[in-house]
């Protein structure tokens, strides 16, 4: 799945990406402590009908760090550099967690490139003051011992009820996270901590918006996300009633089927 690695220079650093399939385009953005590999169970189904572009965001996967802080806007610009190289004029963008924050920043800057947007366990809200304090505490822990921070966090992204039979998926997610360099982790934490709200942007968007919500998401509470969902004009929903924050790993078939339907809707116009 990752054998066709390509890269583009952005601010003199390599941003790596992978492609599969042909046709109209869907871009998959991973979340914090992730990489393009988290989508491996989804890509085969989507690439049957679409050109799939999966990107390692700065400081994650095979992409280099760009500095102490990776703002959502900076990461959105790195995504745009990939689309520019590939001469992509229209795409549907799917962003998981932090990748959703990046997708919203992309929408704010490059809306004409978007045929649709999926917030995959993600939100338009900025960090609360308490969450900002959590980010600062996390930065201190990562500086001392990244493993101490990474392992319990990744485990918390899965619904507890799923851990007993998703041991391989948990191991995969943990290995991906442990491969993330401390500089990349800290730069992302700073960027997420300092990001601004995208609530007004999300409410104004007229393009199709899909939200993926997990009932047992320990990061983004379902009630909060459903309130956000109701503010969207052209809204679509995948509700994973048995899963947490990692739908593409916990329930890849339901995730892929819903994304295929959403892509068909976005491109049928």
């Amino acid at each position: 799945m990752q054998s066709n690695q390509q890269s583009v220079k952005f601010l003199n650093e390599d941003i790596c990406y992978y492609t599969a399939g042909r046709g109209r385009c869907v871009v998959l953005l991973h979340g914090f402590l992730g990489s393009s590999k988290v989508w491996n169970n989804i890509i085969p189904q989507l690439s049957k009908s679409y050109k799939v572009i999966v990107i390692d965001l700065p400081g994650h996967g095979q992409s280099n760090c760009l500095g102490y802080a990776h703002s959502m806007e900076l990461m959105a610009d790195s995504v745009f550099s990939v689309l520019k190289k590939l001469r992509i004029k229209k795409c549907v963008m799917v962003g998981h967690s932090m990748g959703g924050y990046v997708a919203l920043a992309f929408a704010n800057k490059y809306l004409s490139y978007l045929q649709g947007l999926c917030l995959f366990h993600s939100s338009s809200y900025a960090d609360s003051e308490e969450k900002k304090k959590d980010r600062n505490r996390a930065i201190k822990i990562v500086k001392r011992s990244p493993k101490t921070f990474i392992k319990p966090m990744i485990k918390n992204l899965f619904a507890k009820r799923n851990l007993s039979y998703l041991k391989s998926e948990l191991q995969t997610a943990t290995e991906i996270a442990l491969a993330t360099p401390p500089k990349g982790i800290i730069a992302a934490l700073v960027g997420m901590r300092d990001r601004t709200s995208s609530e007004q942007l999300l409410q104004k968007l007229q393009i199709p918006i899909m939200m993926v919500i997990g009932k047992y998401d320990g990061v983004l509470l379902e009630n909060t996300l459903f309130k956000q969902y109701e503010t969207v004009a052209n809204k679509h929903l995948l509700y994973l009633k048995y899963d947490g924050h990692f739908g593409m790993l916990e329930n890849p078939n339901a995730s892929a089927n819903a994304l295929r339907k959403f892509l068909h809707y976005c491109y049928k116009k």
Side-chain angles (χ1 to χ4, degrees):
M1 188 64 61
Q2 304 292 331
S3 61
N4 62 336
Q5 177 181 317
Q6 303 173 65
S7 65
V8 61
K9 285 293 183 182
F10 176 71
L11 299 181
N12 296 318
E13 299 291 351
D14 287 330
I15 301 298
C16 292
Y17 63 94
Y18 309 82
T19 62
R22 300 176 64 181
R24 293 164 295 187
C25 180
V26 55
V27 176
L28 305 179
L29 304 179
H30 63 79
F32 177 55
L33 296 179
S35 79
S36 54
K37 292 181 180 179
V38 301
W39 299 105
N40 278 358
N41 293 335
I42 302 292
I43 294 170
Q45 296 189 58
L46 298 185
S47 62
K48 292 177 182 178
S49 305
Y50 300 94
K51 180 180 180 68
V52 182
I53 302 172
V54 283
I55 301 173
D56 284 339
L57 293 171
H60 289 69
Q62 299 300 309
S63 291
N64 295 338
C65 290
L66 304 176
Y68 176 73
H70 290 162
S71 70
M72 302 304 104
E73 291 75 18
L74 181 67
M75 289 198 275
D77 288 340
S78 74
V79 171
F80 180 69
S81 72
V82 173
L83 298 189
K84 188 174 180 181
K85 179 181 179 180
L86 294 175
R87 299 181 180 179
I88 302 297
K89 298 297 184 182
K90 282 287 185 181
C91 70
V92 174
M93 191 166 289
V94 181
H96 174 235
S97 197
M98 181 185 76
Y101 309 153
V102 175
L104 285 167
F106 186 97
N108 192 45
K109 300 189 73 171
Y110 308 108
L111 182 58
S112 64
Y113 284 79
L114 291 181
Q115 193 74 16
L117 174 66
C118 175
L119 297 179
F120 201 103
H121 303 301
S122 192
S123 160
S124 65
Y125 303 127
D127 275 2
S128 65
E129 289 305 313
E130 186 58 36
K131 186 63 176 179
K132 289 180 180 180
K133 291 178 182 178
D134 289 342
R135 304 279 194 203
N136 289 333
R137 284 191 286 266
I139 290 170
K140 291 179 181 179
I141 296 172
V142 171
K143 288 180 178 179
R144 295 196 305 267
S145 174
K147 287 184 180 180
T148 304
F149 170 71
I150 289 171
K151 288 189 174 182
M153 179 174 178
I154 295 300
K155 190 174 182 180
N156 187 53
L157 297 181
F158 290 81
K160 290 181 180 179
R161 64 188 305 277
N162 294 339
L163 289 173
S164 61
Y165 68 93
L166 291 178
K167 294 179 180 179
S168 175
E169 288 79 2
L170 174 60
Q171 181 179 350
T172 295
T174 303
E175 289 175 352
I176 292 171
L178 289 173
T180 309
K183 288 183 178 180
I185 298 173
I186 292 170
L189 284 167
V190 173
M192 290 189 291
R193 180 196 68 193
D194 295 343
R195 76 185 189 280
T196 57
S197 171
S198 298
E199 289 180 67
Q200 291 186 355
L201 170 67
L202 186 64
Q203 293 169 13
K204 291 179 181 178
L205 290 176
Q206 297 301 309
I207 59 173
I209 305 291
M210 177 178 171
M211 291 189 64
V212 177
I213 300 174
K215 180 176 178 61
Y216 297 101
D217 191 332
V219 179
L220 297 172
L221 300 180
E222 62 169 328
N223 290 342
T224 302
L225 292 183
F226 272 116
K227 288 180 181 178
Q228 177 179 269
Y229 172 75
E230 291 303 325
T231 69
V232 176
N234 190 346
K235 53 182 178 283
H236 304 255
L237 176 68
L238 170 60
Y239 180 53
L240 298 172
K241 61 182 179 180
Y242 301 112
D243 304 304
H245 192 72
F246 249 141
M248 76 287 280
L249 295 176
E250 295 176 89
N251 203 332
N253 288 333
S255 297
N257 288 336
L259 285 173
R260 288 182 69 181
K261 290 179 182 178
F262 181 63
L263 290 167
H264 178 74
Y265 175 86
C266 290
Y267 280 117
K268 73 178 182 180
K269 297 182 178 181

